[in-house]
Amino acid sequence: MRRFRFIAGLILFLALLPVFSVLIASALAGTYDCTLHEGFPNPCRIGGLDWGNTLYSMFVMGWLALATLPIAALVVVLWLAFEIAAYVRRRRQRA
């Protein structure tokens, strides 16, 4: 069960990476008063360097979430089902 939890957690983390990417890009753009949208990259000076293209790429990565979020939902449902089955199995063994 420990191996299953590790693998499910890893898959869940990887499936949520596009969402994290969008959140980080949005937070950075907001903090440094940069314009961020999906149309095209805008200049964004952070620490003397232009991070506009990087923030744009991170923000557009959110479209990948359309493919990965259903995978994340499936992993959560399976994980919950396995945890319930393990709980029921432990309860039956004690009785």
Side-chain angles (χ1 to χ4, degrees), residues 49-77:
L49 299 172
D50 182 16
W51 286 84
N53 286 329
T54 303
L55 292 178
Y56 170 77
S57 298
M58 290 173 67
F59 193 70
V60 172
M61 188 65 65
W63 283 102
L64 183 60
L66 291 175
T68 62
L69 286 179
I71 294 169
L74 179 64
V75 167
V76 167
V77 168

Side-chain angles (χ1 to χ4, degrees), residues 17-65:
L17 277 177
V19 175
F20 297 149
S21 176
V22 170
L23 293 174
I24 291 168
S26 297
L28 284 172
T31 301
Y32 292 98
D33 294 325
C34 300
T35 302
L36 184 63
H37 55 79
E38 296 171 339
F40 51 87
N42 293 294
C44 182
R45 306 287 288 176
I46 300 175
L49 299 172
D50 182 16
W51 286 84
N53 286 329
T54 303
L55 292 178
Y56 170 77
S57 298
M58 290 173 67
F59 193 70
V60 172
M61 188 65 65
W63 283 102
L64 183 60

